[in-house]
Amino acid sequence: DADVTQTPRNRITKTGKRIMLECSQTKGHDRMYWYRQDPGLGLRLIYYSFDVKDINKGEISDGYSVSRQAQAKFSLSLESAIPNQTALYFCATSDTGTGEDTQYFGPGTRLTVL
Amino acid sequence: AQKVTQAQTEISVVEKEDVTLDCVYETRDTTYYLFWYKQPPSGELVFLIRRNSFDEQNEISGRYSWNFQKSTSSFNFTITASQVVDSAVYFCALYPYNQGGKLIFGQGTELSVKP
């Protein structure tokens, strides 16, 4: 089984709809992240969480919200989706306990907003 | 400013050629980490290597090698005897230690290895 899973893997929605992307991990890592990938722009950080009670905005948090329901679960919400939020979304985890700070990524969710 | 530049947007080679992917970074931090990730056509991001700013030794892993030079702020990635399976987008990323866990990605280099 994959260590970091994302659901759904693909989603098509309409402008104005609320949508939630979910991320779960079995790695036991304390830190979790949400990124979006757009062609030619690499990955950009949306939100990150160092533990259940610590959530921080990233580079491009406008239009997004997150919830860390448990150490293993971190969800990303688009309250009112718009077409320029069409992108590939990645969840990632890292473990401060090892001191490595390496981020491991989920398989991605491809979101299309019509 | 904290920034990663991968100037090569696309590279195309023929199988068995050697290819080097360039990565130049900017940071004010003295402690930082550098990473390379591979994104094959299937879309997932695969971790390849992590290097900290105090370790300038070159790394070799099979056909992959990495050259870290602080003097030029570069962390280049070479694939020797490239194979079709190496076709992917490769991302270089910077983790400034005092920036709260933020991984800064370059724009990526799309490598196409033709048979």
Side-chain angles (χ1 to χ4, degrees):
Chain A
D1 289 341
D3 294 320
V4 185
T5 57
Q6 293 184 231
T7 55
R9 293 294 312 279
N10 289 282
R11 180 72 183 267
I12 299 174
T13 191
K14 294 183 178 180
T15 297
K17 294 291 187 181
R18 184 179 188 275
I19 186 168
M20 180 181 289
L21 309 183
E22 298 186 344
C23 176
S24 295
Q25 52 116 346
T26 58
K27 298 177 80 68
H29 289 177
D30 53 340
R31 296 185 175 189
M32 298 186 75
Y33 310 81
W34 276 105
Y35 292 88
R36 67 176 277 176
Q37 181 182 8
D38 299 278
L41 294 179
L43 279 77
R44 292 180 292 167
L45 184 63
I46 306 172
Y47 271 95
Y48 60 105
S49 170
F50 285 174
D51 63 39
V52 175
K53 296 179 180 179
D54 181 12
I55 293 178
N56 305 278
K57 292 183 177 180
E59 180 185 354
I60 52 164
S61 59
D62 287 350
Y64 301 95
S65 62
V66 291
S67 174
R68 185 84 183 263
Q69 301 94 324
Q71 187 185 33
K73 295 183 182 296
F74 193 37
S75 59
L76 175 72
S77 294
L78 287 69
E79 296 301 325
S80 180
I82 56 176
N84 75 2
Q85 291 177 314
T86 293
L88 184 56
Y89 289 83
F90 286 100
C91 174
T93 72
S94 68
D95 182 10
T96 51
T98 63
E100 284 196 350
D101 300 304
T102 298
Q103 294 186 20
Y104 295 92
F105 287 79
T109 294
R110 189 168 296 280
L111 175 67
T112 303
V113 183
L114 302 176
Chain B
Q2 320 275 5
K3 185 180 178 182
V4 175
T5 300
Q6 296 179 253
Q8 304 150 309
T9 305
E10 297 178 8
I11 300 176
S12 182
V13 299
V14 176
E15 205 168 21
K16 298 184 183 178
E17 285 186 22
D18 299 347
V19 58
T20 296
L21 310 182
D22 297 332
C23 173
V24 174
Y25 63 92
E26 297 175 31
T27 181
R28 294 183 300 271
D29 287 52
T30 55
T31 302
Y32 53 89
Y33 301 105
L34 295 164
F35 297 84
W36 277 94
Y37 287 87
K38 175 182 179 180
Q39 186 177 41
S42 52
E44 73 272 23
L45 278 164
V46 179
F47 164 71
L48 295 178
I49 190 171
R50 169 185 180 270
R51 175 64 81 224
N52 75 55
S53 54
F54 299 109
D55 181 3
E56 288 192 71
Q57 283 191 346
N58 291 336
E59 176 102 5
I60 298 174
S61 177
R63 296 183 296 106
Y64 294 172
S65 62
W66 291 268
N67 181 268
F68 176 30
Q69 293 195 340
K70 288 180 74 172
S71 61
T72 56
S73 297
S74 64
F75 187 42
N76 296 337
F77 174 28
T78 297
I79 302 175
T80 302
S82 60
Q83 299 177 2
V84 173
V85 292
D86 296 326
S87 296
V89 180
Y90 291 87
F91 290 97
C92 180
L94 166 70
Y95 180 93
Y97 193 73
N98 293 317
Q99 296 299 314
K102 299 175 184 178
L103 194 58
I104 300 162
F105 282 84
Q107 303 93 319
T109 296
E110 183 173 4
L111 174 65
S112 176
V113 181
K114 302 187 185 305

